[in-house]
Amino acid sequence: MQTLKVGQMLNDEIVNCYFESLQRRDEHLHRTNIIPKSSRFFSSFFYKKMMENNKYNYKNVERWTRKYDVFMHGKIYLSQSMLSLFTGCLLL
């Protein structure tokens, strides 16, 4: 809870928890036909593993996408962190 105080940097666990909440909300909106395509939210660990050693490596994250057809989603969100501090969100 310290990272939620004013002036503190968000760490990746807080952002991942928020992404999980957004994923559940998005799935509900899609199931109830409020939005036509669902989105997919990946944790900060996904990006770290995908870009291990500063090189794209699909094999590292293949199991994370096995049950999802990423091309069926309207948007894909990736959080990125450096030194365990949240630094941004990538929208694909």
Side-chain angles (χ1 to χ4, degrees):
M1 295 303 284
Q2 290 291 90
T3 61
L4 294 177
K5 290 185 177 181
V6 175
Q8 297 296 313
M9 299 292 285
L10 291 177
N11 66 24
D12 55 358
E13 288 301 320
I14 299 295
V15 174
N16 289 339
C17 184
Y18 182 62
F19 266 28
E20 288 174 19
S21 176
L22 290 175
Q23 183 69 55
R24 286 191 301 272
R25 178 181 177 267
D26 189 83
E27 289 169 357
H28 171 73
L29 292 174
H30 180 64
R31 271 194 315 273
T32 56
N33 294 320
I34 294 173
I35 57 173
K37 284 190 165 187
S38 64
S39 298
R40 184 74 191 138
F41 296 81
F42 288 101
S43 75
S44 60
F45 305 115
F46 179 87
Y47 186 80
K48 286 178 192 175
K49 291 301 280 182
M50 183 176 69
M51 296 304 294
E52 199 167 62
N53 298 322
N54 291 324
K55 292 184 181 179
Y56 172 75
N57 189 340
Y58 177 70
K59 286 288 184 193
N60 284 352
V61 294
E62 183 177 19
R63 66 180 174 82
W64 293 10
T65 59
R66 189 172 296 141
K67 59 183 177 176
Y68 304 105
D69 182 356
V70 294
F71 299 107
M72 297 299 293
H73 295 290
K75 296 176 185 146
I76 298 173
Y77 294 87
L78 303 172
S79 67
Q80 182 183 15
S81 62
M82 293 173 56
L83 304 172
S84 297
L85 299 174
F86 175 70
T87 57
C89 174
L90 305 172
L91 172 61
L92 306 174

